[in-house]
């Protein structure tokens, strides 16, 4: 799972990226938010998608989140290439301190195993995804984000938590800087942890960014090393 998403958040990524719903909500009159994310390291995952609201994405109410992503990781039996997509529906609550969003909906995955002297395509699988997010600002200068995505297609779990402080003001385009941690695991026995630093909500006008870097620790020794992440979102 990537940064959506699982980018989750972004994004949410993903499995998919978390691509992240509440994380992208901002002061905009738009009803649609486009996003994309990349996590590159020992494992790689790319996600893209959109968040839509019946009214506006910066107001409390019903929302939908659609995403599709793909990537690969090393396993004992070879390299697993994954494609995953989901459409989840939910509700977002606004408070003075931030936003909480909960989603549920169908997801589907398709895997190919290669690099082991063979090429094996696994049957597509379909199931249910549950997605929850908190995007909190305890003060004007601090930020806390938490995302959890559960998927039944491979009994997967992806989570990320990050804290940030806007210590440098506008020197880094108003971004919050701080630590982040993430986790992913599924029924294959593969597990991955990440720990690093992030700059969230880099304001480039209509486009906003989240940049991150750190170390990724996996249950497969050959799948451990540094990672970098990029999430981009823009209201429309």
């Amino acid at each position: 799972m990537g940064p959506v998403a699982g980018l989750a958040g972004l994004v949410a990524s993903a499995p998919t990226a978390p691509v992240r719903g509440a994380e992208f909500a901002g002061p905009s009159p738009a009803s649609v938010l486009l996003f994309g994310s990349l996590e590159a390291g020992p494992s790689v995952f790319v996600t893209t998608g959109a968040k839509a609201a019946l009214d506006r994405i910066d107001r409390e109410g019903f929302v939908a989140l659609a995403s599709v992503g793909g990537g690969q990781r090393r396993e004992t039996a070879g390299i697993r290439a994954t494609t995953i997509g989901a459409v989840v529906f939910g509700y977002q609550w606004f408070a003075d301190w931030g936003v909480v969003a909960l989603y549920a909906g169908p997801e589907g995955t398709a895997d190919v195993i290669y690099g082991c002297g063979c090429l094996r395509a696994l049957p597509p699988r379909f199931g249910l995804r549950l997605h929850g997010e908190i995007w909190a600002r305890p003060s004007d200068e601090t930020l806390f984000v938490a995302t959890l995505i559960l998927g039944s297609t491979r009994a997967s779990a992806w989570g990320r938590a990050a804290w940030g402080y806007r210590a440098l003001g506008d020197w880094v385009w108003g971004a919050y800087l701080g630590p982040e941690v993430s986790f992913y695991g599924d029924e294959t026995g593969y597990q991955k942890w990440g720990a690093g630093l992030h700059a969230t909500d880099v304001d480039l006008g209509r486009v906003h960014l989240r940049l991150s870097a750190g170390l990724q620790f996996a249950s497969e020794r050959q799948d451990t090393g540094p990672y970098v992440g990029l999430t981009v979102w823009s209201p429309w």
Side-chain angles (χ1 to χ4, degrees):
M1 185 171 291
V4 100
L7 144 314
L10 213 173
V11 101
S13 76
T16 170
V19 299
R20 284 47 74 176
E23 177 172 339
F24 299 116
S28 165
S31 59
V32 175
L33 192 83
L34 305 180
F35 59 84
S37 64
L38 164 68
E39 183 182 278
S43 62
V44 178
F45 209 91
V46 178
T47 304
T48 186
K51 172 184 176 180
L54 290 177
D55 183 12
R56 288 168 37 167
I57 57 176
D58 64 334
R59 290 180 178 174
E60 183 169 315
F62 292 98
V63 286
L65 195 64
S67 64
V68 62
Q72 65 178 32
R73 72 192 194 204
R74 293 184 180 274
E75 297 182 353
T76 303
I79 298 175
R80 180 186 294 264
T82 297
T83 301
I84 186 167
V87 179
V88 291
F89 305 90
Y91 196 90
Q92 59 184 13
W93 294 266
F94 278 73
D96 292 341
W97 51 266
V99 185
V100 175
L102 297 175
Y103 303 86
E107 70 171 11
T109 64
D111 294 329
V112 174
I113 307 296
Y114 69 97
C116 53
C118 64
L119 178 63
R120 183 162 57 102
L122 304 181
R125 302 174 67 179
F126 300 92
L128 175 68
R129 173 177 296 185
L130 302 178
H131 180 153
E133 294 187 350
I134 298 174
W135 174 260
R137 291 186 174 88
S139 70
D140 290 341
E141 304 303 324
T142 58
L143 172 70
F144 174 76
V145 177
T147 304
L148 177 63
I149 300 175
L150 305 176
S152 68
T153 55
R154 58 172 66 183
S156 63
W158 184 92
R160 175 181 178 269
W163 178 88
Y165 182 63
R166 193 153 48 182
L168 301 180
D170 293 332
W171 289 12
V172 284
W173 296 278
Y176 297 87
L177 309 178
E180 68 173 15
V181 293
S182 61
F183 167 80
Y184 172 78
D186 61 38
E187 64 184 9
T188 67
Y190 180 86
Q191 294 183 350
K192 179 177 68 176
W193 300 266
L197 300 174
H198 71 95
T200 295
D201 204 15
V202 179
D203 188 352
L204 301 180
R206 191 173 183 83
V207 175
H208 291 248
L209 307 177
R210 186 185 78 216
L211 306 169
S212 60
L215 292 176
Q216 183 183 98
F217 309 92
S219 54
E220 307 287 343
R221 284 190 175 183
Q222 64 268 35
D223 204 15
T224 298
Y227 75 87
V228 294
L230 169 66
T231 300
V232 182
W233 65 95
S234 176
W236 288 85

